[in-house]
Amino acid sequence: AGHVVILAFISLIFILGDVFSEGAAWLASPVAVGFALFVHFLELLVATVQANIFTMLTATFIGMSAH
């Protein structure tokens, strides 16, 4: 879902450029790219937390089955 949001933010630059003017696209570019980077880093944070939880659960289940 995050990739679709990033695509929407980047597409917003081109949509505003077509609908309004090139100046609107230049004004929206830093905002759209900033939001896209935020969503990207949020995806990385979620993936890191998921990997950590999966590792802890796997270690717990293996430890419980070994004893």
Side-chain angles (χ1 to χ4, degrees), residues 45-65:
L45 176 69
V46 169
T48 304
V49 169
Q50 284 179 345
N52 190 13
I53 290 172
F54 180 74
T55 302
M56 292 298 171
L57 286 174
T58 302
T60 302
F61 292 151
I62 290 173
M64 288 174 62
S65 69

Side-chain angles (χ1 to χ4, degrees), residues 12-31:
L12 185 65
I13 299 170
F14 298 103
I15 292 169
L16 288 176
D18 285 342
V19 172
F20 295 108
S21 66
E22 188 176 329
W26 279 102
L27 289 175
S29 295
V31 176

Side-chain angles (χ1 to χ4, degrees), residues 4 9-10 14 17-18 20 24-25 30 32-36 38 41-42 44 46 48 52-53 59 62 64 67:
V4 175
F9 282 134
I10 299 301
F14 298 103
D18 285 342
F20 295 108
V33 170
F35 280 136
F38 172 73
F41 284 118
L42 188 63
L44 288 176
V46 169
T48 304
N52 190 13
I53 290 172
I62 290 173
M64 288 174 62
H67 294 291

